[in-house]
Amino acid sequence: MPEIVDGIKIAKLFDGTRDGAPYVVDRPALPIGPERADFLAYLKKGKIVMRAAGQSVDRLDESRGKTVPIVFLTDGEWVWSASIGYYLEEHGLPPEPEFLDYLRARDFHYVTPTEDKVRTAGRAVRGE
């Protein structure tokens, strides 16, 4: 289940960590193809609600160094990290099923959120 803050759902990158290593549970693969391309395109359309300087270390392959974007985006209903797209493209890590189901139900059609929803999403990410 996604975390919900002020009515905004926050997509999880990982389901947890065990001994410092991230893991996911029961996530069906999202193979290379049109649906995966639509998913990645949708992620990139989101309105930015928070951006940090620099990049973070790849938690699945630390030898890659700091290559993971630190950006959070929204469509007004969900907030997601740009790292979701990074880990899918670089490691084949599938997205959280509820988030993917939501985008499928929208047929990956992005609707620009109102500024009020963008502000609410930003507060949700910052924990305000």
Side-chain angles (χ1 to χ4, degrees):
M1 279 309 260
E3 178 182 1
I4 302 173
V5 178
D6 289 335
I8 302 289
K9 295 177 183 173
I10 302 176
K12 293 184 288 189
L13 174 58
F14 302 115
D15 294 328
T17 57
R18 190 175 301 118
D19 298 324
Y23 66 87
V24 297
V25 178
D26 297 327
R27 291 187 181 188
L30 185 56
I32 294 172
E35 184 177 55
R36 184 171 175 166
D38 289 345
F39 176 80
L40 291 167
Y42 189 98
L43 295 184
K44 292 175 183 172
K45 291 177 185 173
K47 296 286 278 183
I48 295 173
V49 296
M50 188 171 80
R51 177 190 308 259
Q55 297 179 309
S56 66
V57 172
D58 184 321
R59 296 199 48 208
L60 298 180
D61 184 356
E62 291 184 7
S63 70
R64 293 179 180 214
K66 293 184 176 185
T67 57
V68 182
I70 308 171
V71 177
F72 288 87
L73 305 106
T74 191
D75 63 3
E77 302 295 324
W78 281 76
V79 170
W80 60 90
S81 167
S83 61
I84 290 173
Y86 170 87
Y87 283 102
L88 175 61
E89 289 182 298
E90 297 298 321
H91 298 285
L93 183 76
E96 178 180 10
E98 292 87 354
F99 183 45
L100 181 57
D101 289 345
Y102 162 76
L103 296 181
R104 284 175 172 154
R106 295 173 68 104
D107 197 27
F108 300 97
H109 177 73
Y110 182 82
V111 176
T112 303
T114 65
E115 284 304 313
D116 186 49
K117 286 194 172 219
V118 172
R119 283 190 295 276
T120 300
R123 287 192 301 272
V125 169
R126 291 186 299 275
E128 297 175 353

